[in-house]
Amino acid sequence: MGAVKGKRMPRAVRERQMMDAAVQTFAQLGYRAASMDEIAELAGVSKPLVYLYLNSKEDLFTACIRREAAALVDAVRAAVTPGESADRQLWSGLRGFFTHTAEHPDGWAVLHAQARTQGDPFAREVAVMREEIVAFVTLLIAEAAREAHRNPSLPEREVAGLAEALVGAAEALAAWANTTEGVSAKEAAATLMNFAWAGLGNLMRGEPWAPPR
Amino acid sequence: MGAVKGKRMPRAVRERQMMDAAVQTFAQLGYRAASMDEIAELAGVSKPLVYLYLNSKEDLFTACIRREAAALVDAVRAAVTPGESADRQLWSGLRGFFTHTAEHPDGWAVLHAQARTQGDPFAREVAVMREEIVAFVTLLIAEAAREAHRNPSLPEREVAGLAEALVGAAEALAAWANTTEGVSAKEAAATLMNFAWAGLGNLMRGEPWAPPR
């Protein structure tokens, strides 16, 4: 390949460098405070080049959200082996989720702390990703209920609510783990698995919590 | 009391009317799109009066966040009877939380959908309320662990993680319940109680979920 000169670097590589710099800058300074100057400097390119490639700060932010959202969804899907038992799939999915958010704290901050909190159209981009994850978890819970019951007795709406609860818990826990000293991805995943499954496990056996007499 | 003329209405009553109108407008149009004109019209007062009483759109929004946050925390605290068993306290707290968010959907939208997503200083106001609720839930879980174990074996960090997970789940579920046709506050509370307690219940008995062999 030989030495790669600045001008000869493929567009895809340059773009990735700019987006890496942008994700880091948006995560650490916040969307509003981040400037195209800082992003260009961190990426080691000129500001006009950033505009040429990625058009505007809004478009750059949108591109970052889409990239980070796709990477997170891919990481969760890749961690899960279809056909395994539901609890094993959930455990694998949680490990995948918390490992990815721990290894990409800036990406997670862009999705959870920045994009969600800057109103539309950015919040909408994250909402689409979230819906995809909720749908995935909903299927998993419905499958677990079928496994346990054969004749499924968990109403569809209950399953949807449980999926919302699980995803909300995972979001909160990822934000907490990334800002709390010494919490590993595996610990965070184990905490949520204990919380969710020991609970879901009982539900699946038709043994919900009942108010004490 | 006799008929109350506009000018004679006590300041506190007028202010409450303005804030009611503001909460409704912010919740339904969003913070940025909401105008002081609309808020004044909905409150049945002049725009200068809104500015006189509440200073600016920013200050009005902050006042709304504080009022709605305090009302929510009060509702949760009031629902719980100290000294009862931990699962009963949690169940009561969840009933209080979901009843309040269901009865005050605009207030919940201001806290969860609007304030959190408009950056600081508004997001900070909600974060303070959230920390208060997390601390409350943390105490509850620690108490439950003590009840179950005598010799508490749940590490402090694990308890903090579980509290984060529970609060995250409650937030997600309240947003879902308020936007899903026909989900009652009691159903939402029961869903989360099943999820959390049947799970927490096993943890408390020292029976965490273990990966299948």
Side-chain angles (χ1 to χ4, degrees), chain A residues 64-121:
Chain A
C64 289
I65 296 168
R66 288 186 182 161
R67 187 182 83 168
E68 297 305 320
L72 177 56
V73 171
D74 286 351
V76 173
R77 290 193 178 277
V80 172
T81 308
E84 285 199 320
S85 68
D87 62 340
R88 169 62 81 177
Q89 285 191 52
L90 182 58
W91 171 239
S92 306
L94 290 177
R95 290 287 300 271
F97 176 80
F98 286 105
T99 301
H100 186 86
T101 54
E103 286 175 355
H104 303 86
D106 288 339
W108 178 245
V110 161
L111 295 175
H112 186 71
Q114 289 302 319
R116 249 190 359 156
T117 65
Q118 296 301 333
D120 283 332

Side-chain angles (χ1 to χ4, degrees), chain A residues 117 157 187 197 199 202 209, chain B residues 117 157 187 197 199 202 209:
Chain A
T117 65
R157 209 167 58 190
E187 280 172 327
W197 192 267
N202 279 334
W209 173 86
Chain B
T117 66
R157 208 166 59 189
E187 281 171 327
W197 193 267
N202 279 334
W209 173 87

